[in-house]
Amino acid sequence: MKTTTLAIAAALLLAACGQSNDTKAQDGVFAENRVVPGDAAGMKASFAPVVREAAPAVVNIAARGVQVVRDPFFGIPGQRQTGSVGSGVIVRPDGVVVTNYHVINGMQQIKVVLNDRREFDARIVLADERSDIAVLQLEGVRERLPTLNIDDREEQQVGDLVLAIGNPFGVGQTVTNGIISALNRTDTGISDSGSFIQTDAAINPGNSGGALVDMDGDLIGINTAIFSRSGSSSGVGFAVPAAAVRRVVDSAVGGATAVVRPWLGVKGEAVSSDVARSLGLDRPQGLVVTEVWPGGPGARAGLSEGDVITAIDGAEINDQGGLNFRVGTREPNDTVRVSVLRDGQARTLEARVQSLPGNAELDNAVLIQSGGLSGAQVLGLNPALADSLGGDPFASGVIVGRVAGNSYASRGVGIRAGDIIMAVNDRPVSSPQQLANLPRGSQLLVERRGQRGVLVVR
């Protein structure tokens, strides 16, 4: 088993170096017929040629920030120094660097160290929490820097060799190797709109923001998270795919201050085994549409409740996270091909995806000045606002922005910022006006961090 594994690895390495007699690289992509090398020399192939090309574009990041803290006994505000160590990738020769959002979040000073030990200060151009991707600009760049090509063609396969390059534990640039363990991982708990590359290449704290590269030396992902009980690599790591990385980079380079993600305007549930049998499918695959936003892109394309979405632009869809990712990598007003099963018949619909309707800002919150919720600032939910807060764009209700600390809403009811008030006395709520002058005894159905409960106006 060990010999076979090494032989396959060597075959791929030889193909990358142009040394294989049977497997040729075509347009930078390995041919389908992977073969095992037939001699001992083939077993001694090295990752070094790939590393030489890729490593100079991978950087170390050291960030510093100041966090406001409050004395637990006297309540006196103070400051605490915070720090973060991670990795990044240069993707443009003028010093545009990609890293993880969580590496630079809350940091005021960012130092970037290149592979050749040159140091640059960096500023944040765009930080996108949803994808956990941030874009930096190095200051004082006077020459062309080495870069990695962002390969967003998504031609990788499970079993392909990959390298993870980064700065684990802050020890300095380190290269580890492994394979792609899985593709399109959505049920990870990392993001509701992520579809990750899973790899067994060792990824540890400090690798965040570093490069996952293929045997062509191209960037296919940004290393982001691991599953681990110890905090160190357990062979289950996740990388943000290049398609999502490019979307954030293009937004930043284009001058945007935020990533505008389009939507299809449909909500669904993964096809279970029971649903697959009832639909006559040979396996559980696809997303059953349960809601369609009136007048949204999906509705205009002809999608209906009960349709089963099986693919977007040919990429298989199996859950809501996968749909969100596929649509989210496109630009607003792009047209996507939606593969659908309806009444047992396959068909393809074309939908023009658009930005979510509504205003994502909390600036228009209304202050409740009387009744049980006095002192709370509230705002009616809309798809754009709900999505910006990491919630369901189809959610209805009124969201609480701020709550005065000594207000009745805070002391008498227990309302907190971020709560979604869904109903009062079993009646659905959709506007702030419905929350004015609430009498004692009113029962509020509230959603807080995904959990629902009832609060009573005392």
Side-chain angles (χ1 to χ4, degrees), residues 399-421:
I399 188 167
V400 179
R402 296 180 180 178
V403 183
N406 59 350
S407 66
Y408 194 85
S410 174
R411 294 181 292 103
V413 183
I415 285 291
R416 300 179 186 175
D419 285 351
I420 297 176
I421 302 173

Side-chain angles (χ1 to χ4, degrees), residues 4-71:
T4 302
T5 302
L6 288 172
I8 294 173
L12 293 174
L13 284 167
L14 288 171
C17 301
Q19 298 173 18
S20 173
N21 293 325
D22 300 302
T23 304
K24 301 296 183 181
Q26 299 175 349
D27 295 327
V29 182
F30 294 123
E32 293 298 324
N33 56 328
R34 272 80 162 172
V35 296
V36 178
D39 53 45
M43 302 293 289
K44 299 180 180 179
S46 169
F47 291 108
V50 180
V51 175
R52 279 197 298 269
E53 292 295 321
V58 181
V59 301
N60 299 341
I61 295 177
R64 295 288 181 268
V66 176
Q67 183 180 22
V68 177
V69 296
R70 196 169 286 274
D71 187 283

Side-chain angles (χ1 to χ4, degrees), residues 89-112:
V89 181
I90 307 172
V91 294
R92 287 171 60 98
D94 58 352
V96 173
V97 171
V98 175
T99 187
N100 279 140
Y101 172 91
H102 71 260
V103 171
I104 53 82
N105 182 34
M107 301 297 159
Q108 287 81 44
Q109 296 179 333
I110 303 173
K111 183 78 70 176
V112 173

Side-chain angles (χ1 to χ4, degrees), residues 163-426:
L163 302 180
I165 309 177
N167 181 26
F169 304 109
V171 300
Q173 190 177 92
T174 301
V175 181
T176 58
N177 79 285
I179 63 170
I180 294 177
S181 308
L183 294 167
N184 303 317
R185 286 292 197 210
T186 56
D187 191 16
T188 61
I190 302 171
S191 169
D192 64 347
S193 59
S195 182
F196 298 91
I197 300 171
Q198 181 180 325
T199 178
D200 69 345
I203 296 173
N204 289 290
N207 272 110
S208 290
L212 188 70
V213 303
D214 62 13
M215 292 299 99
D216 291 327
D218 291 334
L219 181 71
I220 62 170
I222 292 294
N223 299 318
T224 295
I226 60 174
F227 275 168
S228 172
R229 291 186 174 90
S230 66
S232 297
S233 176
S234 297
V236 183
F238 299 99
V240 178
V245 175
R246 185 179 293 280
R247 182 78 174 83
V248 180
V249 171
D250 288 348
S251 296
V253 173
T257 57
V259 179
V260 179
R261 290 181 177 82
W263 78 325
L264 189 58
V266 298
K267 182 179 179 180
E269 297 178 355
V271 172
S272 65
S273 297
D274 291 339
V275 171
R277 281 192 295 268
S278 69
L279 295 174
L281 302 178
D282 58 357
R283 64 185 178 94
Q285 191 262 314
L287 183 78
V288 180
V289 176
T290 57
E291 294 184 60
V292 180
W293 189 265
R300 292 196 300 271
L303 283 167
S304 304
E305 293 182 15
D307 286 346
V308 179
I309 298 176
T310 58
I312 298 290
D313 288 332
E316 187 173 293
I317 299 297
N318 285 308
D319 52 28
Q320 188 71 45
L323 177 67
N324 293 345
F325 172 78
R326 290 296 162 193
V327 174
T329 58
R330 305 303 295 268
E331 296 279 355
N333 297 316
D334 280 353
T335 298
V336 298
R337 291 178 292 106
V338 186
S339 300
V340 174
L341 283 177
R342 178 182 297 169
D343 299 327
Q345 300 295 317
R347 61 182 64 192
T348 300
L349 305 176
E350 289 193 348
R352 178 172 291 181
V353 296
Q354 293 184 333
S355 302
L356 282 79
N359 187 348
E361 302 299 327
L362 291 168
D363 298 339
N364 298 321
V366 175
L367 175 64
I368 304 297
Q369 298 181 330
S370 59
L373 288 183
S374 60
Q377 293 183 348
V378 297
L379 184 66
L381 277 177
N382 59 68
L385 177 59
D387 184 70
S388 71
L389 297 171
D392 178 7
F394 282 76
S396 61
V398 172
I399 188 167
V400 179
R402 296 180 180 178
V403 183
N406 59 350
S407 66
Y408 194 85
S410 174
R411 294 181 292 103
V413 183
I415 285 291
R416 300 179 186 175
D419 285 351
I420 297 176
I421 302 173
M422 307 179 69
V424 175
N425 298 327
D426 295 326

